[in-house]
Amino acid sequence: MTVLYKANAARGAVWAKLFAERAPGMAFRVWPDVGDPAAIRYLAAWQPPERIMETFPNLELVFSVGAGVDQFDFSLLPPALPVIRMLEPGIAESMAEYVTLAVLGLHRDLVPFIDQQKRQVWQEIQVRSAASRRVGIMGLGQLGQAALDKLRAFGFPLSGWNRSPRAIDGVACYTGETELDAFLGQVDILVCLLPLTEATRGILNARLFSALPAGAALVNCGRGGHLVEADLLAALASGQLSAAVLDVTELEPLPQGHGFWTHPKILLTPHIASMTRPETAVDFVLDTITRHQAGQPMPGLVDRASGY
Ligand code: NDP
């Protein structure tokens, strides 16, 4: 019984070391060194290889090495093959840090101050209270809730929007399409932590921006496909949005010469808001394999119908 890893090779080497320590009885291989394809039962991949069942006829489970699965083409995977997304605690911890950094940065005008520094301008901006800055999160899953837990300490009025109803202490929760505009109308800093699906592609668009209070700010740490980039540039130009912190873009790496690189109202990071940590990810994978073998429910099992 072999586990095959197919993603960043350097991280694969760290996984291999951890597997050797924590599951010495289990064979572990890093792509493209697959050994006997018939022995591969478990695959941990960022993108699975093509013709997966023909190549690995005894495959039982596929893990995404990231929290999202939008990079998977489900039409190439047999419907009965379970896909598990990475639910290791390191991802949530790092994402909560990033969202806190971005929200505090926007709250304390870091984006205009970075621009002022570049232009050698020394100019105050009146400090506002956290109580007057309303923060709203789209997507109240494991990451959205982890971020809200950290933000609570600062005193921002908090709200969230989600497909199915949520009840979270100290957070005004809005549900579904019908409550989207009511949610947006009371958000000064909007954070996107949705999965990328047919329903959410392009959701951060001109219409959504127009439903926010004038001068609101955006944090996108979902996926680049959530954002209509031209609509963001127009909203920043008109002042409908005051600033944006973007961790993800439609094309990654962002192409040279793209307008986001030098935009004075955009703070850009290279998809690093959160990364799977091998130390905790390996434990999650081993626990899931044990559950699979025992026929127990597996946390992180992707619902093919909803796409996340
Ligand atoms: P979860 O599946 O735990 O949460 C997703 C949440 O979004 C759920 O609560 C779900 O609602 C809600 N949702 C899904 N579709 C809709 C919709 N159409 N309208 C409203 N709400 C919706 O995912 P995670 O929290 O683990 O991750 C969220 C996303 O964060 C990932 O899919 C990925 O895109 C992104 N990510 C980005 C990283 C980065 O470094 N930038 C790193 C890791 C993840 P419901 O309760 O009804 O299912």
Side-chain angles (χ1 to χ4, degrees):
M1 187 175 69
T2 302
V3 178
L4 175 65
Y5 179 96
K6 181 182 177 290
N8 177 290
R11 279 183 234 163
V14 181
W15 280 55
K17 188 168 168 295
L18 291 164
F19 260 85
E21 286 165 16
R22 297 178 191 178
M26 202 175 285
F28 184 90
R29 287 181 170 269
V30 178
W31 178 273
D33 174 27
V34 299
D36 174 12
I40 306 291
R41 297 288 167 88
Y42 301 101
L43 172 70
W46 177 247
Q47 271 168 341
E50 284 171 17
R51 290 183 290 130
I52 190 168
M53 290 317 286
E54 290 161 47
T55 316
F56 304 114
N58 298 316
L59 195 62
E60 293 177 23
L61 269 188
V62 175
F63 292 89
S64 165
V65 294
V69 288
D70 51 282
Q71 76 280 12
F72 279 39
D73 181 348
F74 286 119
S75 69
L76 300 176
L77 301 178
L81 181 66
V83 176
I84 310 285
R85 64 195 196 88
M86 195 52 66
L87 270 194
E88 60 91 8
I91 294 183
E93 192 184 310
S94 319
M95 183 58 81
E97 288 173 4
Y98 185 94
V99 172
T100 305
L101 171 83
V103 167
L104 284 177
L106 290 166
H107 171 56
R108 296 306 308 266
D109 302 303
L110 195 60
V111 178
F113 286 136
I114 290 171
D115 178 48
Q116 285 188 190
Q117 182 181 352
K118 285 189 192 140
R119 295 186 290 116
Q120 302 191 25
V121 172
W122 185 279
Q123 192 181 313
E124 295 173 355
I125 299 174
Q126 177 62 46
V127 174
R128 264 174 65 175
S129 69
S132 73
R133 191 87 70 175
R134 300 160 297 178
V135 178
I137 297 201
M138 302 176 80
L140 299 176
Q142 60 142 359
L143 301 183
Q145 294 194 40
L148 284 165
D149 280 348
K150 282 275 188 292
L151 288 172
R152 210 172 256 123
F154 298 98
F156 301 112
L158 300 174
S159 61
W161 179 73
N162 202 62
R163 196 179 64 132
S164 50
R166 285 278 191 279
I168 304 171
D169 204 25
V171 179
C173 292
Y174 296 78
T175 310
E177 286 298 321
T178 51
E179 292 183 14
L180 179 58
D181 281 6
F183 163 73
L184 296 169
Q186 53 84 61
V187 169
D188 299 310
I189 298 177
L190 180 71
V191 180
C192 176
L193 270 174
L194 289 165
L196 184 62
T197 66
E198 287 311 308
T200 64
R201 181 171 292 281
I203 192 169
L204 303 174
N205 58 31
R207 200 215 67 79
L208 179 141
F209 298 147
S210 70
L212 292 164
L218 173 71
V219 179
N220 188 16
C221 31
R223 289 284 184 257
H226 286 131
L227 176 67
V228 179
E229 295 186 344
D231 289 4
L232 173 66
L233 291 171
L236 290 170
S238 73
Q240 176 59 20
L241 289 186
S242 56
V245 176
L246 305 177
D247 183 54
V248 285
T249 53
E250 182 72 57
L251 293 176
E252 295 179 2
L254 188 68
Q256 292 299 308
H258 191 287
F260 289 176
W261 281 115
T262 53
H263 200 293
K265 294 181 180 175
I266 292 178
L267 185 59
L268 185 69
T269 51
H271 200 145
I272 48 67
S274 166
M275 276 179 207
T276 300
R277 288 187 201 154
E279 297 74 20
T280 32
V282 164
D283 285 343
F284 172 75
V285 168
L286 288 172
D287 180 60
T288 306
I289 290 174
T290 306
R291 284 169 174 276
H292 177 67
Q293 288 170 346
Q296 292 169 350
M298 296 179 289
L301 181 65
V302 172
D303 171 14
R304 296 281 189 97
S306 60
Y308 66 96

